[in-house]
Amino acid sequence: MLLMSNTRTNEEWLHDLRATGEVQESATTDLRTFLLRAVLYSFNRNLGDFGGLAHDEILQMAEDCTQDALIAVINHLSDFRGDSKFTTWAYKFAVNIALVTARRQRWKGVSLDQLSFTDDSNLFEWMVQDKSPGHAPDQSAMQGEVGEIIREVIERDLTEKQRQILIMMVFNEVPMDEVVGRLSTNRNAIYKMLHDARRKLKSGLQAHGFEVGETLALFSTQG
Amino acid sequence: MALRLARLLPCSARRGKIPASYATNDSGVLMEQERFESWLKNIYQTQDEEISCTECFDLVSHYVELEVSGENAAMKMPRLKQHLDQCRACRDEYEILRGLARWENEGGTPSLDELKDLIG
């Protein structure tokens, strides 16, 4: 069952991949095997993203991802600092590429237009939680107040782009890499926009006296 | 229990544009209370300065190996932990990387043929 042991030290990996001839060829072949394993492992944990694809098609995508990962690793060899095993460091390129590919497959052909509400606050209605038996009236009222504050911040304080991305990713759970691809941007930019949105939401809640402990208790699903 | 928070332009799986697992109903988006609670926690855990996805990618292999070796990675690298708590994309990758590293550490990784057989 054991695939292969990593017989190279970190230094040997770097040396062999930077060498020439058979030494480099052997290291590249071995690295490729490690990366393919990481890609297949990643795909296995996200098989739902490949619904409708034949087994051979998925395997071909795995091979393509592996090739892309190999190129990425070779191009970033100088970034390796030795604070992990070389294979662990290399795996993350394969995992990243594999997951981006899986998400892209799942969302292929899906229009995000109707998931990226950007404007017209009259289309943005908030409703409070259903008042079920057992809920104290003041608890429901406070929940409603929290919801109102959040609505206000989203409508009034976020930029249009922040609002668009927040609604796509938080409410509609569109994966980040889909948003990146559709908006022709990058992960860091998206993360920063979400971060800025969270900061404004946090400030808004705290400005109205809703601190963390009591607010989380209002909505706790733990009872 | 569903916490109804927003009403957007209606869209549904019946229009054939969204995978069923992401469909909204005709009245709008529903966010389950558990997910809302999780989002609220994320809001309150927001720091003024947070590391980027690039920085996370750079550090995550070290973080994973600290964990696999039994060290308290979250305590040693709190800013990375915080980013993983906030960023679903990075967290998904981290969890797979951790799975791979644990497997290797335990010496029981499957062969390529076994992994291929598990697909589709």
Side-chain angles (χ1 to χ4, degrees), chain A:
Chain A
M1 194 170 176
L2 192 63
L3 171 61
M4 56 186 286
S5 61
N6 178 8
T7 56
R8 289 186 180 82
T9 64
N10 287 349
E11 292 70 28
E12 285 168 344
W13 273 112
L14 290 176
H15 173 270
D16 291 357
L17 288 169
R18 286 167 171 156
T20 56
E22 283 182 18
V23 170
Q24 187 193 47
E25 203 176 311
S26 171
T28 304
T29 299
D30 291 345
L31 176 59
R32 199 180 177 289
T33 301
F34 276 99
L35 296 176
L36 179 58
R37 177 169 58 174
V39 170
L40 290 170
Y41 183 92
S42 302
F43 277 15
N44 268 309
R45 268 138 193 82
N46 293 275
L47 283 179
D49 290 346
F50 298 100
L53 282 189
H55 181 257
D56 286 349
E57 287 177 291
I58 300 173
L59 290 187
Q60 184 57 55
M61 289 177 92
E63 295 285 347
D64 292 344
C65 285
T66 302
Q67 186 60 25
D68 289 343
L70 182 63
I71 292 169
V73 169
I74 299 299
N75 286 343
H76 286 88
L77 279 183
S78 57
D79 294 343
F80 180 59
R81 285 190 305 271
D83 56 5
S84 70
K85 284 196 299 187
F86 177 79
T87 46
T88 307
W89 176 85
Y91 279 153
K92 61 185 181 183
F93 291 91
V95 171
N96 169 257
I97 289 168
L99 289 193
V100 170
T101 299
R103 302 290 182 256
R104 186 180 305 135
Q105 184 58 37
R106 185 183 188 115
W107 286 79
K108 206 168 162 179
V110 173
S111 166
L112 294 190
D113 293 342
Q114 291 179 313
L115 301 179
S116 58
F117 163 79
T118 58
D119 143 55
D120 295 339
S121 58
N122 59 336
L123 293 175
F124 198 69
E125 296 175 16
W126 287 83
M127 293 176 68
V128 299
Q129 183 176 5
D130 291 338
K131 294 176 176 52
S132 306
H135 263 111
D138 53 347
Q139 182 180 11
S140 293
M142 288 174 76
Q143 287 172 339
E145 205 176 328
V146 167
E148 185 58 27
I149 293 165
I150 290 175
R151 182 192 66 78
E152 261 184 32
V153 170
I154 290 176
E155 286 188 348
R156 186 192 61 199
D157 300 337
L158 299 192
T159 65
E160 186 180 324
K161 199 59 105 176
Q162 287 169 351
R163 188 161 50 245
Q164 179 189 28
I165 287 165
L166 182 86
I167 287 172
M168 276 200 282
M169 291 185 63
V170 174
F171 290 99
N172 288 287
E173 296 188 279
V174 179
M176 178 183 263
D177 293 307
E178 273 310 298
V179 176
V180 164
R182 304 293 179 101
L183 300 186
S184 301
T185 179
N186 60 73
R187 273 196 189 185
N188 289 343
I190 297 294
Y191 186 86
K192 181 161 189 328
M193 274 189 261
L194 284 176
H195 176 221
D196 288 343
R198 280 188 278 113
R199 285 172 63 194
K200 290 175 183 176
L201 286 163
K202 183 179 176 182
S203 294
L205 286 166
Q206 289 176 328
H208 284 83
F210 283 98
E211 293 299 338
V212 53
E214 58 177 349
T215 311
L216 291 178
L218 281 174
F219 294 94
S220 174
T221 51
Q222 303 287 317

Side-chain angles (χ1 to χ4, degrees), chain B residues 29-96:
Chain B
V29 175
L30 294 175
M31 184 187 280
E32 292 296 323
Q33 184 168 347
E34 197 175 319
R35 197 155 74 76
F36 177 72
E37 187 187 349
S38 175
W39 182 47
L40 208 51
K41 277 183 189 161
N42 279 0
I43 289 170
Y44 277 109
Q45 286 167 355
T46 298
Q47 304 294 312
D48 286 338
E49 300 291 332
E50 294 182 359
I51 66 170
S52 66
C53 294
T54 298
E55 289 171 288
C56 175
F57 184 83
D58 187 47
L59 296 167
V60 74
S61 40
H62 179 52
Y63 185 90
V64 159
E65 289 206 344
L66 284 176
E67 279 198 312
V68 170
S69 63
E71 300 202 46
N72 191 334
M75 193 180 72
K76 293 193 171 185
M77 300 173 73
R79 296 182 75 201
L80 180 63
K81 170 72 164 71
Q82 201 263 349
H83 182 96
L84 292 175
D85 287 342
Q86 298 285 3
C87 182
R88 172 80 183 266
C90 290
R91 185 166 69 252
D92 285 349
E93 290 174 15
Y94 148 74
E95 286 173 355
I96 289 183

